[in-house]
Amino acid sequence: MFLLCRRLPSLVRTTTHLCKSMEPAVTATSSFGGGSSRLAALAQQLRRYKPPPSSSFDDAEETQTDQETAGKVVSQVGFQESIAPVSKDPERFRPKRAAVLISIFEGDDGDLRVILTKRSSRLSTHSGEVSLPGGKTEEDDKDDGMTATREAEEEIGLDPSLVDVVTSLEPFLSKHLLRVIPVIGILRDKTKFNPIPNPGEVEAVFDAPLEMFLKDENRRSEEREWMGEKYLIHYFDYRTGDKNYMIWGLTAGILIRAASVTYQRPPAFIEQSPKFKYPKMVEKHTCMPK
């Protein structure tokens, strides 16, 4: 099982107009393979999303970032690969690849929700922490979507045939020098998913509203300093039934990004230090399906 560690920077808060698109209305298509019309529209929207390349930076900003990050070693935090020295110093950094699954489905109240896990309390490290299902890429994996869905099946019994992989977010680097690819998938019919947690890795499987990661409710943050840079770690307190969960670090960071891309708007809180410059969040002329 792949443990999500902390993430340093985050997405830029670009202004996105939440108006009705001038494009024809998106309707369900047979290629989606079932599910509600809203999920079909969401799948089509997310397929148009492309992770922002490093060229989204202004040249001056990119040069400054390269200078500031040159020689820095991945430490207690994880961060976007686009501002890391990996691509500029491949001889020093040779990260292995991993993928996590952001499985989105429509809840009973019509909200969009995401599946999360709590690590087994019997694990020797980071026991009991909340994470997204995922793990390291294996030789037979044809792509990141296969890695993420395979790991989800192994960890929580989620049949890959139930998940429509629609896009991937930009890579993140973990403190273990893993290049982590967040993969977004649409769970078409939640009723067909019967969680079967792997007892050696997973203590609990639960879901949370995706939009929660854009709101300032039940959220707190902590400012820390790393390599002379101040950054924020976000913590989301979530209660479901009689269980309380804390979602934080890179897990929270990836979900903030996923929610921003899905709902086409930035979070309602300051996500990171304003001095950091990030790629643009979303493409133009796209809207969240109603």
Side-chain angles (χ1 to χ4, degrees), residues 143-187:
D143 54 30
D144 298 313
M146 182 174 182
T147 299
T149 55
R150 174 183 54 76
E151 287 287 336
E153 183 177 30
E154 294 175 4
E155 291 178 16
I156 62 176
L158 177 57
D159 187 341
S161 67
L162 299 178
V163 180
D164 184 27
V165 173
V166 290
T167 194
S168 297
L169 304 181
E170 57 269 42
F172 292 76
L173 284 176
S174 80
K175 68 178 181 180
H176 302 294
L177 284 181
L178 286 173
R179 176 182 288 130
V180 183
I181 313 298
V183 174
I184 298 182
I186 304 297
L187 178 59

Side-chain angles (χ1 to χ4, degrees), residues 6 8 10 14 27 35 40 46 60 75 81 102 116 120 124 140 175 179 199 212 217 246 248:
R6 302 170 190 166
L8 179 59
S10 180
T14 54
T27 57
L46 291 174
S75 182
E81 185 175 318
I102 304 167
L116 295 165
S120 171
S124 59
D140 294 336
K175 68 178 181 180
R179 176 182 288 130
M212 176 181 76
E217 303 169 7
M246 182 175 68
W248 68 289

Side-chain angles (χ1 to χ4, degrees), residues 197-227:
N198 183 332
E201 300 181 65
V202 177
E203 182 173 302
V205 180
F206 66 101
D207 56 79
L210 183 62
E211 194 174 14
M212 176 181 76
F213 299 98
L214 296 180
K215 298 179 179 180
D216 205 20
E217 303 169 7
N218 302 317
R219 184 199 66 88
R220 53 195 169 89
S221 63
E222 177 182 342
E223 186 177 73
R224 298 189 183 183
E225 185 171 324
W226 177 75
M227 299 296 286

